[in-house]
Amino acid sequence: MAAGWVAALKLVPWGDVIEATPQILQAAKKLLGTTQKGNAEAEASALDGPGGESATPIAVQLRHLRDRVARLEQEQQESAVLIQSLAEQNAQVVQEVELLRKSHQRLTVIAGVLTAGCVGLLVWVLKQS
């Protein structure tokens, strides 16, 4: 069973995976950093005055909210790209594992045929003696 996993790991295009890893890691770190920075309550309270009333004009608040929505849309787009990249790599791994499974089935059949042949040959040799 362990040999099967080793063979599966050998079939994975590790060059492509290793090549894509820095970009995925960088995108994940950037995404994590931007989502950790974006605390809506903290930003909203920064616009409010000490009594909870608005200390800034509505136009400034509206511009701030538009900027925030634009940042959120950008983060969503970056998340989608990252998820797509991970999905493509996952699909490659699944495809290679499926090829390995088919090869394993063929080898099992071949091993069974060879075993039956060896047993038949052994029986034949013993009968000849």
Side-chain angles (χ1 to χ4, degrees):
M1 183 81 174
W5 281 107
V6 171
L9 293 175
K10 288 181 182 178
L11 292 175
V12 173
W14 289 111
D16 296 341
V17 173
I18 291 171
E19 183 179 316
T21 300
Q23 291 91 4
I24 292 173
L25 184 60
Q26 182 181 12
K29 285 181 180 179
K30 182 179 177 185
L31 180 63
L32 181 63
T34 56
T35 55
Q36 286 178 342
K37 284 191 295 186
N39 186 348
E41 289 183 21
E43 290 185 18
S45 66
L47 292 176
D48 292 341
E53 296 180 19
S54 177
T56 56
I58 300 241
V60 173
Q61 290 179 1
L62 183 60
R63 184 171 35 90
H64 175 74
L65 290 174
R66 285 182 180 159
D67 292 343
R68 177 148 176 81
V69 168
R71 282 194 314 267
L72 290 172
E73 288 174 346
Q74 179 64 31
E75 289 174 15
Q76 183 181 14
Q77 182 64 27
E78 290 171 0
S79 297
V81 169
L82 179 61
I83 290 169
Q84 177 66 28
S85 175
L86 292 172
E88 288 172 358
Q89 287 186 3
N90 189 40
Q92 284 181 332
V93 170
V94 167
Q95 183 180 14
E96 295 300 329
V97 168
E98 180 63 20
L99 288 173
L100 176 65
R101 186 188 65 79
K102 289 178 182 178
S103 296
H104 181 264
Q105 285 177 339
R106 284 188 295 244
L107 288 174
T108 301
V109 169
I110 291 170
V113 169
L114 287 174
T115 301
C118 288
V119 168
L121 184 60
L122 182 61
V123 167
W124 181 76
V125 167
L126 290 175
K127 283 186 177 184
Q128 295 297 325
S129 304

